[in-house]
Amino acid sequence: MALVVVVFASILLLVLLVAYFRLNTFIAFLIVCLFMGLALNVVREPAQRMSIADITQSIQTGIGKTLGSLVIIIVFGSMLGKLVAESGAAQRIANGLMQVFGRKYVQWSLMLTGFIVGIPLFYNIGFVLMVPLIFTVAARTKLPAVYLGIPMLASLSVTHGYLPPHPSPTALVGAFHANMGLTLIYGLLVAIPAIVLAGPVFSRFLKKYTQEPAQLFTAATLPEDQLPGMTTSIIAALLPVLLLAATSLVKLKVAPESAVYGIANWLGDPVIVMLLAVLNGAYVLGIRRGWPIKKVMGTMEDAIRDVSVIILIIGGSGALTQMLLDSKVSDVIKEGLGSMHMNPLVLAWSIAALIRVSVGSATVAGLTAAGIVAPLVVGTTVHPSLMVLATGAGSLMFSHVNDGGFWMFKEYFNLSVKDTFKTWSIMETIVSVVGLIGCLILNLFI
């Protein structure tokens, strides 16, 4: 019992350091790991205690193990997203879809744009890039910006929380030892109803929010003749999804000993997928359109700076997970939570949701919950990909005042705090709850 108390005290300390004292999240993770290791020594027998060298080694091992397999994927994903944004591919996709759907279904065009562009784009970049586009469409159609914006932002939120190659879902795939391709396929099945219900359906009740958006948030748009083609833009943005999904389906249909299976296995490796996607994006969105190689490389280098903070957060969460393993506390947690006889999907979602509401960061919530719940998956019949999705869905639950996204939405759309709760926070809650329901339904068939 004392060990469990130490764990929950450590998580509470993490919440206080991040949410109340506003400490850098990576530093907060390291402090909590040290606190946990030392506090466990106090309540344990001398033979079971960890020396300070063991504790720091555990932290280093956790960071190395977690980031070793993820850094390449996360960095490549950020590079591809930056290329899609800077080249005008995102603008081309939005313009093309709006022409196809017309004014009557303009929400659906924005929702699809958010989904396609949200696959490679890191969330904060996608938000900043897409919101001025929403304002442009709102001015053109004379429709409320909130009414138009919620469907697109629901798409961005879902891709950020559910789908590889985004940092948090990618890290969760590793934590639960899931297959990335299958996670992406199941994630798409869960994501579609979540986006539709939180986007076009929910936003039907938001036409009364007619505030003019803040005028200082404007973005320069490229001339039409400087944009890449529609097909090129979509393929460049969705190439990671297409490769992961296609190779996973091929592997399900052919014999494991066949040459086709071996080729699909190689092409479906996440590192190879992201490398091919970045090389393709650099060529078709940059070099082929006359960009000097220096500009292409500069754009990709800027992308690394954009994602560096997330990499550190993921590393810190890996250190905490390793502390739980090396201190053997994960075994105690497994026994304690296992005796509750709660569905592991509901348990993962609940813990992630609780941490999300407390801390504000979806990434911190998802990865911390995975460190606690992952030992439970061993020996159960729950598909690990569904554990990834349930945890990711929980990490999006009820964004409020401790989440930067809450304040970005409030300021960009010129809303009061009360109205932000009634629009943004409810949208995030719908995305989270529908995601859990989708996982529970899929669990009946997988």
Side-chain angles (χ1 to χ4, degrees), residues 22-352:
R22 306 291 183 184
L23 195 65
N24 175 277
T25 308
F26 178 68
I27 296 175
F29 266 119
L30 298 188
I31 291 173
V32 167
C33 289
L34 290 170
F35 169 80
M36 181 187 293
L38 296 172
L40 287 171
N41 285 346
V42 173
V43 300
R44 278 182 152 167
E45 297 296 326
Q48 298 176 317
R49 293 172 183 170
M50 300 174 68
S51 68
I52 189 64
D54 291 335
I55 293 172
T56 54
Q57 182 60 51
S58 182
I59 292 172
Q60 293 175 40
T61 300
I63 294 174
K65 282 172 59 178
T66 303
L67 293 183
S69 59
L70 294 180
V71 167
I72 297 174
I73 301 170
I74 293 170
V75 168
F76 278 166
S78 180
M79 287 178 175
L80 178 60
K82 196 74 170 180
L83 287 168
V84 170
E86 296 292 332
S87 67
Q91 185 181 330
R92 168 65 75 192
I93 292 168
N95 292 346
L97 289 175
M98 280 188 287
Q99 288 177 2
V100 171
F101 282 87
R103 186 182 188 280
K104 184 177 181 181
Y105 299 105
V106 66
Q107 282 185 304
W108 292 84
S109 67
L110 290 172
M111 181 189 75
L112 276 175
T113 301
F115 186 76
I116 294 170
V117 173
I119 294 292
L121 270 183
F122 181 55
Y123 181 76
N124 287 345
I125 300 171
F127 190 108
V128 173
L129 174 73
M130 291 289 102
V131 164
L133 175 65
I134 293 168
F135 297 165
T136 301
V137 175
R140 188 187 307 168
T141 61
K142 307 301 181 184
L143 292 169
V146 172
Y147 170 75
L148 293 175
I150 284 292
M152 176 177 279
L153 297 178
S155 291
L156 291 177
S157 183
V158 167
T159 55
H160 168 69
Y162 291 14
L163 303 180
H166 276 267
S168 182
T170 302
L172 291 175
V173 165
F176 288 108
H177 304 290
N179 177 277
M180 191 170 293
L182 287 177
T183 301
L184 180 59
I185 292 172
Y186 296 146
L188 292 171
L189 294 176
V190 174
I192 291 170
I195 293 171
V196 170
L197 290 174
V201 174
F202 171 59
S203 64
R204 292 174 61 187
F205 304 97
L206 304 180
K207 287 188 176 181
K208 64 180 179 179
Y209 296 98
T210 56
Q211 294 92 330
E212 287 293 321
Q215 295 301 311
L216 65 143
F217 299 115
T218 58
T221 56
L222 294 174
E224 191 75 13
D225 60 352
Q226 294 183 20
L227 300 178
M230 184 67 170
T231 302
T232 298
S233 299
I234 291 179
I235 291 177
L238 292 184
L239 189 57
V241 176
L242 297 174
L243 285 174
L244 284 170
T247 53
S248 294
L249 291 174
V250 168
K251 287 162 65 177
L252 290 174
K253 297 293 184 181
V254 302
E257 62 273 10
S258 68
V260 174
Y261 186 96
I263 295 172
N265 196 46
W266 188 84
L267 286 175
D269 184 284
V271 173
I272 301 301
V273 165
M274 294 311 302
L275 174 60
L276 293 175
V278 169
L279 292 177
N280 176 72
Y283 176 69
V284 301
L285 298 179
I287 295 170
R288 195 173 73 180
R289 297 175 54 239
W291 283 20
I293 191 69
K294 185 176 180 180
K295 180 178 180 180
V296 175
M297 294 301 107
T299 300
M300 294 163 72
E301 288 167 7
D302 289 342
I304 298 173
R305 286 191 286 270
D306 293 335
V307 82
S308 59
V309 173
I310 294 296
I311 290 174
L312 288 176
I313 291 174
I314 291 174
S317 73
L320 181 61
T321 300
Q322 192 65 36
M323 276 299 304
L324 292 170
L325 292 172
D326 290 347
S327 63
K328 308 300 183 185
V329 175
S330 58
D331 296 335
V332 178
I333 294 173
K334 180 178 179 180
E335 293 173 6
L337 294 178
S339 64
M340 297 172 62
H341 302 295
M342 182 184 289
N343 185 309
L345 295 173
V346 177
L347 182 63
W349 181 89
S350 300
I351 294 175

